[in-house]
Amino acid sequence: MSQPFRTPYPGYDVLDKWDSPSFDDQTREVLRARRDPPPRRFLDPNQFALLEALCAVVIPQRRPEPVPIAPFIDAALHAGRGTGTRFATMPPERDAWLRGLEAIDAEARAAFDGRGFCELVRPKQARLLRSIDRGDCRAPEAWQEMPPQKFFRALLLKQIVQIYYSAPAAMSEIGYGGPASPRGYVRLKVGQIDPWEAPFGTWEDQA
Amino acid sequence: MTQDAPRNDRPRAVNGHAPDVFKREGQVPMREYPKNAPVDFVIVGAGCGGSVLAAKLAEAGMSVVLFDAGPFFQPRRDFASDEREQEKLYWLDPRISDGDDPIELGANNSGRAVGGSSVHFQMVSLRFRPEWFKARSKLGYGRDWPVDWREMWRYYDEVEEALKISGPIRYPWGPDRGRYPYREHEVNEAGLVLARGAEALGVDWAPTPLCTVSAPSGKSPPCAYRGMCKIGCSINAKQSMPITYVPRAIKAGAEVRDLAMVGRIETGADGRATGVSYYRDGKWRFQKAENVVAAGYSIETPRLLLNSSTAQHPQGLGNADGLVGRNLMVHANDAVWGEFDEEIRWYKGPPSMATCEHWNYADDDPSKNFDGGYSFMSQGPLPGDFAGTLTSSTGMFGDDLLEAMGRYNRMAGLKMVGESMPQVDNRVTLADETDELGLPRAKVTHSFCDNDRRLQGHGRKFMSRMMRAAGGKNLFETQSTAHLMGGCPMGDDPETSVTDDMGRVWNVDNLWICDGSLMPTGGGVNPAMTILANAARIADRIIDARFD
């Protein structure tokens, strides 16, 4: 069991640069529009709750206002927007998500005395996901021949983390410079940072 | 995952105007051609092949209509500093990816915009090694090009000048070449990691020749080192097609039709092309043409030829011998990542500022256990991109993932561009299912061969040694692919190739191909400059043939 993550950049917030030349109008417009997550329209309430629980295991957020992730996955599924790739071993994206969510719940029920994924405590949820990633499945029929690891890594994990790490809160947490247009960066070498970047971070292995 | 709201759904190159790419708002005048009178050339695809061809043919006085399935973007208005919003630059309509080693499409290689993948390419501008043009005769593998390397090298000069490539004064590998038009960029720390490692191992390295200007050029400001090249350059420092060859084409009288998906090349009773059927602004239309050029890259070009079958061409155009779509190649894009004590901050500057082509030229090295070659470059992925790489290759999540991403600023990486062998069974075919327009979706089948795997293994091992030599710790490796090449190779023999040496489809004398699908071998470098140079060459061949 890993320790809760602590950011190496406490106090840094890319949004502090909002009114600076690091942000252009089109970026401000996109981020502003994203403040209000789209309403749930594709998944049913139970499926959506399961997706939210999965997002919380994949990206544990200990902040007062967690970055919303599930609504954006639901919105893309509603709009039928994909990634450009459908692996031949996978059904179309919407079917893959519906089947995958159902299968994860079935795995939970098979492994934990009939309890669904949302009813499990966080460590048990994480353990279940790790066994799915290993292909160690107890409800193989629920996957209907969809490869569990492919669904888990190529769709579920990837989409959740890509949404999270494009959020300003996540950028701040890892010390990323954030939006940079029209102003970019000047100091490119080690030991150099521009005044509009995060100050140097601190890590436990360097403490 | 894609942008959150649909945008850019109406054509913008309309009513005698095209967007002015150098401004947030505003337009430039553009000529328009009637649909029922034949234009000299219809070109399908405004990427590196089609844009160069359109500009040069229009400048030679020909009437040209340049189609693209994607929008005509105005970078200063449409390119946000946001990874999700900018997914609109990729071809996100599903293709089916099959085979033992199915490749990832979309963001990985396919553009959908006026400018094609040049809008989101990472600007690495390398030349083919001369021997690769005769890989079979000189190096004993792959296929020969029907073109002499010296001719191609003259066209590299031409396109490097047109795009003001910024590169080093002395390039360590290959035959002597002139100076790059613009001086090299200052190398960022991620690039210096490669430099340090190369020096420790005793191999050469170079600042990467890049397709973004190091000083002002025309209406382009110099590169601001934003590091968001893969999601589109919002300041126009990148010399992509929509700010270079496309404006040239429009100025010379070509018409661009954006958001126009060409579904079929139509042919007449004599078997020759008569024009194209395309879907734009809500309905199917037809443009008459004397000549048709397919320039949609290695998936859409074969898809279009295959989908244009008639009683006279029952297997599709140019496909009497079943070759269309075969010999598709990708580059192995394996990478080695490591952590450093200091903050590298690899997000600053273009993603790949230093390169090593050692293994493209070291034929006699005793450790070399593969045919072909590879180059590799320093890396600087954006957070979402890197998080996707981490999770899809390790399955990591939760606090472990947050912790690993927490080291983002201390990471560096080396990623290879590894040559893969042309194989007939790596191919594009039409799937049974259709897209929203009723066109059969493309199915892409891809498997690596043993040689490909040996090359990848060698590359990962060598990059790991270099990463350790540079001070990297806790290394991990990832596997991926990048770039598409081949699918409709050109050649001297109609029985083994789809077109002749000028891209003319065997047996349909007014049908042409001009894009990366013509490449018979892939080489171990990013293909953009080779596609551009080949397009510039084909343009001159067409112009000479008409006006001699």
Side-chain angles (χ1 to χ4, degrees), chain B residues 159-221:
Chain B
V159 294
E160 284 172 358
E161 181 57 38
L163 301 179
K164 304 287 181 249
I165 302 299
S166 302
I169 292 173
R170 194 189 78 85
Y171 195 70
W173 305 277
D176 288 343
R177 59 192 78 183
R179 282 194 61 171
Y180 283 98
Y182 273 48
R183 68 172 164 78
E184 70 193 42
H185 290 274
E186 177 188 353
V187 177
N188 64 2
E189 190 61 29
L192 294 179
V193 167
L194 182 149
R196 240 181 9 247
E199 280 160 18
L201 298 188
V203 298
D204 283 328
W205 71 279
T208 310
L210 289 171
C211 187
T212 177
V213 285
S214 55
S217 169
K219 292 178 181 171
S220 289

Side-chain angles (χ1 to χ4, degrees), chain B residues 262-327:
Chain B
V262 174
R264 270 179 68 89
I265 296 165
E266 306 295 350
T267 44
D270 58 359
R272 300 177 81 240
T274 55
V276 295
S277 293
Y278 65 101
Y279 188 86
R280 193 186 198 209
D281 217 5
K283 60 179 195 191
W284 283 99
R285 301 157 197 272
F286 176 71
Q287 174 66 52
K288 216 169 172 186
E290 300 282 358
N291 294 276
V292 173
V293 184
Y297 206 13
S298 293
I299 295 177
E300 293 305 318
T301 287
R303 183 187 181 204
L304 180 59
L305 296 183
L306 294 173
N307 195 44
S308 300
S309 58
T310 61
Q312 208 166 348
H313 301 283
Q315 298 189 76
L317 303 180
N319 197 33
D321 295 313
L323 288 171
V324 167
R326 291 187 181 272
N327 292 296

